[in-house]
Amino acid sequence: MPLELSVDRSSPVPLYFQLSQQLEAAIEHGELTPGSLLGNEIELAARLGLSRPTVRQAIQSLVDKGLLVRRRGVGTQVVHSQVKRPLELSSLFDDLEAAGQRPATKVLVNTVVPASAEVAAALGVAEGGDVHRIDRLRLAHGEPMAYLSNHIPLGLLDLDTAQLEATGLYRMMRTAGITLHSARQSIGARGATAEEAERLAEPEGAPLLTMQRTTFDDTGRAVEFGSHTYRPTRYSFEFQLLVRP
């Protein structure tokens, strides 16, 4: 494994944690690419002068984060880095591309439905009026990352299924001349239902990140209402907090 790894025995930071942090940084920076093998635990322990249990603990912490996977007959393999999404008005497709995650999309629903009370309130349309609904499964490196359900005012833009599978919704809106300006968003968490677990390749009841967002254009018009679920082992939100003067 052509990596510069070292541990500081005089540091109060546990040795396994020092090693796991260096390996995680190597994955995030692309030094360890998805699919590459980490190497033999015994060799790594000998190289760094560490015990096998220490190396095993470091590796297991990254397995628990979803960055590594142990495969019988293959060894310990890099899966991918977790996508850390900044809290700004961007699309998941663009964020995945920026993180080098090779996004792919499967459109599962693309139809016109009557607006529920929640959707009508978010989009400023009449309850029961027609709105467009698109449900997509977003993948990275062939693995499910998120399930995206969006409602969009009728007639806003052409929601071609092939285009939705080739690019992101916000990119399509910008191409159609829509200027995205702001959004109202809430983030939460809950256990996966049986249906959600099957979609996202997680066990039933596994924790999922949830996000609801209403996006507005530069005229103040609501252009989409999204309700999304994410795998927390593959995805996180980043906040920047400032002290109020």
Side-chain angles (χ1 to χ4, degrees), residues 193-205:
T193 65
E195 186 178 17
E196 289 170 334
E198 185 176 0
R199 288 171 184 161
L200 295 173
E202 292 281 353
E204 185 175 352

Side-chain angles (χ1 to χ4, degrees), residues 83 85-86 88-107 136-141 145-146 148 150 161-172 174 211 213 228 230 235:
V83 175
R85 185 175 190 176
E88 59 187 32
L89 188 50
S90 62
S91 73
L92 176 57
F93 189 93
D94 292 339
D95 291 337
L96 288 170
E97 273 198 339
Q101 294 283 335
R102 297 200 305 271
T105 306
K106 292 181 181 178
V107 175
R136 295 161 294 159
L137 185 66
R138 183 62 46 76
L139 304 98
H141 298 293
M145 173 75 70
L148 317 173
N150 293 79
T161 296
Q163 276 292 99
L164 287 166
E165 292 192 335
T167 189
L169 177 61
Y170 282 3
R171 196 173 293 180
M172 289 176 65
R174 289 192 291 266
M211 187 268 280
R213 175 189 282 180
H228 304 168
Y230 302 87
Y235 196 84

Side-chain angles (χ1 to χ4, degrees), residues 45-77:
R47 175 180 163 191
L48 296 173
L50 298 173
S51 67
R52 282 191 66 188
T54 297
V55 173
R56 190 176 301 115
Q57 187 177 6
I59 291 173
Q60 186 59 47
S61 69
L62 299 183
V63 171
D64 293 340
K65 286 185 176 183
L67 301 179
L68 300 175
V69 63
R70 298 181 191 272
R71 301 193 190 279
R72 186 180 298 276
V74 176
T76 304
Q77 197 169 25

Side-chain angles (χ1 to χ4, degrees), residues 21-228:
Q21 288 291 92
Q22 291 176 68
L23 292 173
E24 182 171 354
I27 294 171
E28 289 189 351
H29 297 153
E31 297 172 62
L32 283 172
T33 56
S36 61
L37 293 173
L38 188 59
N40 186 286
E41 286 182 8
I42 299 176
E43 293 174 357
L44 188 56
R47 175 180 163 191
L48 296 173
L50 298 173
S51 67
R52 282 191 66 188
T54 297
V55 173
R56 190 176 301 115
Q57 187 177 6
I59 291 173
Q60 186 59 47
S61 69
L62 299 183
V63 171
D64 293 340
K65 286 185 176 183
L67 301 179
L68 300 175
V69 63
R70 298 181 191 272
R71 301 193 190 279
R72 186 180 298 276
V74 176
T76 304
Q77 197 169 25
V78 177
V79 181
H80 47 66
S81 61
Q82 186 187 57
V83 175
K84 296 181 179 179
R85 185 175 190 176
L87 205 63
E88 59 187 32
L89 188 50
S90 62
S91 73
L92 176 57
F93 189 93
D94 292 339
D95 291 337
L96 288 170
E97 273 198 339
Q101 294 283 335
R102 297 200 305 271
T105 306
K106 292 181 181 178
V107 175
L108 305 179
V109 175
N110 186 357
T111 189
V112 174
V113 297
S116 66
E118 181 183 37
V119 170
L123 294 180
V125 300
E127 184 177 351
D130 286 345
V131 293
H132 217 112
R133 173 175 173 173
I134 54 172
D135 286 12
R136 295 161 294 159
L137 185 66
R138 183 62 46 76
L139 304 98
H141 298 293
E143 289 194 23
M145 173 75 70
Y147 189 85
L148 317 173
S149 181
N150 293 79
H151 289 82
I152 299 158
L154 212 61
L156 187 71
L157 74 163
D158 180 19
L159 292 167
D160 177 71
T161 296
Q163 276 292 99
L164 287 166
E165 292 192 335
T167 189
L169 177 61
Y170 282 3
R171 196 173 293 180
M172 289 176 65
M173 287 185 172
R174 289 192 291 266
T175 300
I178 298 167
T179 302
L180 304 176
H181 179 266
S182 61
R184 185 169 57 245
Q185 178 169 289
S186 62
I187 297 170
R190 57 175 171 77
T193 65
E195 186 178 17
E196 289 170 334
E198 185 176 0
R199 288 171 184 161
L200 295 173
E202 292 281 353
E204 185 175 352
L208 298 178
L209 283 171
T210 64
M211 187 268 280
Q212 283 194 335
R213 175 189 282 180
T214 305
T215 305
F216 304 90
D217 68 6
D218 57 348
T219 70
R221 171 183 58 169
V223 294
E224 65 106 5
F225 172 66
S227 184
H228 304 168

